[in-house]
Amino acid sequence: MASEFSYARLDERSSTSFDFSEEDVSPPPSKSLASFDLEEGDAARWEAIPNLDKFFSNIYNYFYEKGYRCIIAARLSSLLTLAFTVFFSTFLLAFVNWRQLLKCDSEETCRHIHSILRNPFDEFGMWELCVFSYFIVLSTYWLWSLYCFFLTLKETFDMRTFYRERLRISEEELSTVEWWAITEKLIQLQDRYRFCIVKDKLTALDIANRIMRKDNFMIALTNKNLLRFQLPVFGRMFTKTLEWNIQFCLFDYMFDKNFHVKKNFLADSNKLKRRFIFMGLLNLLFLGPILIFMLVFNFLRHAEEFHSQRTYGQRQWTPLAQWLFREFNELPHLFKRRLNASFVHAESYLAMFPSTLVSIIARCISFIAGSFLGVLLMLTFFDESLLLYIKIAEKNFLWYIAVFGTVVAICRGLINEQRGFCFEPEEAIKRVVQYTHFMPPRWRGRCHRISTRNEFAHLFQYRVVLLMEEILSVVYTPFVLIFSLPKLADEIVQFIRDFTVEMDGVGHVCGFGLFDFQKYGNIEYAAPAPIKTDSSVNQKKNKSNPTEFGKMEKSFMNFKLNNPTWQADQAGDQLMSNLVQFQQSQSVDHSSKFGDLNSSMNRASLTSSLMASMLPMQSDLPALANEAAMMAPLSEVRMPLHENYYYWLEQYYDSHAGALSFVKKDGSRSAKV
């Protein structure tokens, strides 16, 4: 595969209409892209699409959100939720007389409800000024969201027409159709009508790189550990708030209208530094309204959830972990599917490290608090008025029910039952990484250690901890933007300069997203050896190019799995061939114990078998599945089919990396001398 890619620039007049038929007749300029019927044959006319990134993103978002009804319902629900939060929080903060309300301790003092309401304009002080500033800021944001909703509305109905008339996919079919099938329809449309004017042939890789243009860079920056910010007090907290600010500062200013990285962006990293600092100051300016909104919104959103019994003990992957796990060109619905399958195994791994002392104390406190709670609840069967009028330390029984209920819920979330407990952390974490595809060398053979467990738990945090971090990030984010990220601006810009590649008909993309194994391949993960050059400088430069932990190789196999009709280039075929040969060699070693395997299998059948073992979820490909069934002897050494490709990549690494390096005490690898 060539390391350089040619690029056809987007026409500067792409907003005008183009005719792709033999007749020289342009469509009416008032019609939108989705207004022409696909079945009009050779007489069909297409308008030029000025922004292909947005076009393909709209197609994908329509698929991801399952049609226009769901999209409209979700947007309206979001607007209603935001409006309710703003008005309800303003009412609670400005119109409720909390001093009078807290004095309500009997039926007589609570009889007149108007006494707990007040007119904030009667005594308009600093607090009232802050509250109404908060109301104005959030109301302005709501109006902006409403404006964006109406813009989205037109695009949504255009996509509805496009799906129904062009792709022949109904609203109901979106729940069952796979994205790769939609991609195939788009490729067929391109072959027939050439709606993408910047290149003749369209591939699944082109579409994925357009949709994931910015996300691929974010995945690469995380993989290369270039976002290693840290503050003395807070440590390192990578939250959604900080993530949004980084993407806004970096990617929203990085590309021009032709999808090229701006020259002035690459030439002067000081502009990125100033942008980080400016956004930090802007976050400080609006810190008060944002903090109030985050507190109120998260309280209203999670109050009922955390009242449930087990919520305090539930965990989820942190935003940093999600960027570490996500593959290049992996679309959100596929990534979400992987992560959802990993939760139960991640919980099982952490359950192997129970805090016995904490469980003993929590079980004791839970028993005592539960006993009091049971007695108080039993009283309600006799006379509910007892809960209101009998007081202990000036608190009625309802207050104690709320306290004891909360204590019981927290304690039960901390108790580890250890039913059928078996301490096998190595096997447990293997089941996790089958779905996360993240296994740093420092974890290998050390999964039983507390240091590995703590590092894993930092990526798989309690939900309540993540919620607190998200609220604290309103204060934390401005200081990261002002003090930490500007120090990393030079490295970030240099990385983008080194790893940005022109892709024919697509524009500038992250080089890792092209699966260019000759340039960025990691031979420890079955990638073909890079082409040797006479320049020692180039050899030295290419030595540091591979992604960490075989990210690009895993991404390639994952992309091939989810796009079964996509044809890889020669280097990609070579990687698969290397895996097949390695699989065959391992099977031959295994045959000395279990008998001779089918030695007459040729390379094509082995390759088909490997790919068939990667496609259990694609029910439309029975032929490849039958190919896999023909290789029954190999099943002796295989893991479950859908995780087979990742298993063999890791086996390949373990086999080949040992010959190229040795493991240090800290778990990292160093080249042998």
Side-chain angles (χ1 to χ4, degrees), residues 90-357:
T90 302
F91 170 78
L92 293 176
L93 296 173
F95 291 89
V96 175
N97 190 340
W98 290 98
R99 292 181 182 178
Q100 188 68 27
L101 180 63
L102 295 176
K103 291 179 182 179
C104 175
D105 55 359
S106 65
E107 185 177 0
E108 185 66 27
T109 57
C110 299
R111 180 172 299 172
H112 305 290
I113 192 171
H114 66 272
S115 62
I116 66 172
L117 299 178
R118 71 185 185 93
N119 186 354
F121 298 100
D122 292 342
E123 298 179 1
F124 198 84
M126 182 59 67
W127 172 252
E128 287 74 17
L129 178 63
C130 293
V131 172
F132 280 97
S133 298
Y134 155 82
F135 176 78
I136 292 172
V137 171
L138 270 298
S139 297
T140 304
Y141 174 71
W142 186 86
L143 291 174
W144 171 254
S145 300
L146 182 64
Y147 171 73
C148 293
F149 167 73
F150 285 112
L151 293 181
T152 306
L153 203 60
K154 180 181 182 304
E155 295 176 352
T156 302
F157 279 101
D158 284 345
M159 283 297 107
R160 177 195 179 193
T161 306
F162 182 84
Y163 266 82
R164 190 167 56 186
E165 299 183 3
R166 301 292 174 82
L167 301 181
R168 299 300 177 185
I169 298 176
S170 65
E171 197 84 5
E172 292 73 19
E173 291 175 319
L174 281 176
S175 301
T176 57
V177 69
E178 289 286 348
W179 172 251
W180 67 267
I182 297 176
T183 301
E184 279 300 300
K185 286 179 174 288
L186 291 172
I187 294 173
Q188 293 171 10
L189 285 182
Q190 171 68 6
D191 294 339
R192 189 173 178 184
Y193 296 102
R194 197 173 177 267
F195 64 91
C196 176
I197 65 174
V198 293
K199 64 183 307 182
D200 295 331
K201 292 291 184 179
L202 194 65
T203 67
L205 190 62
D206 295 337
I207 297 173
N209 269 282
R210 283 192 174 276
I211 297 173
M212 296 267 306
R213 189 189 300 273
K214 297 177 182 179
D215 285 353
N216 278 343
F217 276 104
M218 191 70 179
I219 294 169
L221 288 172
T222 309
N223 178 259
K224 289 293 187 177
N225 196 27
L226 291 176
L227 301 177
R228 55 184 183 277
F229 47 82
Q230 192 167 358
L231 291 182
V233 178
F234 295 94
R236 185 184 184 186
M237 291 192 306
F238 192 88
T239 62
K240 292 293 184 181
T241 303
L242 181 58
E243 175 189 322
W244 181 88
N245 278 276
I246 292 174
Q247 293 194 359
F248 179 81
C249 292
L250 194 57
F251 304 124
D252 286 4
Y253 289 89
M254 201 167 96
F255 297 99
D256 59 20
K257 63 180 182 179
N258 291 330
F259 313 113
H260 278 83
V261 177
K262 297 176 182 177
K263 292 182 179 179
N264 58 2
F265 178 90
L266 298 176
D268 188 7
S269 61
N270 290 323
K271 291 184 177 181
L272 180 58
K273 295 178 182 178
R274 290 193 293 268
R275 199 153 44 246
F276 281 139
I277 295 173
F278 172 77
M279 282 302 297
L281 295 174
L282 198 63
N283 276 265
L284 276 177
L285 179 64
F286 293 101
L287 188 147
I290 297 174
L291 182 60
I292 295 174
F293 175 78
M294 290 287 288
L295 287 169
V296 175
F297 176 76
N298 284 287
F299 172 78
L300 297 176
R301 181 181 181 183
H302 298 286
E304 189 277 331
E305 292 182 21
F306 288 117
H307 181 68
S308 62
Q309 189 178 64
R310 290 286 182 179
T311 306
Y312 292 96
Q314 289 182 354
R315 292 175 178 266
Q316 67 183 46
W317 297 112
T318 65
L320 176 62
Q322 293 180 37
W323 284 113
L324 287 172
F325 298 165
R326 194 172 178 184
E327 312 281 24
F328 296 109
N329 298 322
E330 185 176 26
L331 295 171
H333 73 287
L334 300 172
F335 180 59
K336 184 178 180 180
R337 185 185 299 171
R338 267 204 304 131
L339 280 195
N340 288 343
S342 70
F343 285 131
V344 61
H345 302 295
E347 293 279 7
S348 298
Y349 172 72
L350 290 179
M352 293 186 177
F353 299 86
S355 178
T356 308
L357 178 62

Side-chain angles (χ1 to χ4, degrees), residues 525-542:
Y525 283 92
I531 298 176
K532 296 182 178 181
T533 61
D534 296 333
S535 173
S536 60
V537 176
N538 289 337
Q539 290 180 2
K540 184 177 180 180
K541 181 178 179 182
N542 288 339

Side-chain angles (χ1 to χ4, degrees), residues 509-570:
V509 298
C510 179
F512 298 138
L514 299 178
F515 306 135
D516 186 353
F517 297 110
Q518 291 295 343
K519 192 174 183 180
Y520 305 114
N522 189 339
I523 59 175
E524 294 180 350
Y525 283 92
I531 298 176
K532 296 182 178 181
T533 61
D534 296 333
S535 173
S536 60
V537 176
N538 289 337
Q539 290 180 2
K540 184 177 180 180
K541 181 178 179 182
N542 288 339
K543 189 175 181 180
S544 61
N545 278 345
T547 55
E548 302 295 325
F549 318 130
K551 170 69 74 174
M552 190 175 72
E553 288 72 21
K554 296 171 186 175
S555 299
F556 167 79
M557 299 297 285
N558 190 49
F559 187 79
K560 180 62 181 174
L561 166 65
N562 293 297
N563 296 272
T565 58
W566 173 69
Q567 297 296 322
D569 62 1
Q570 185 177 358

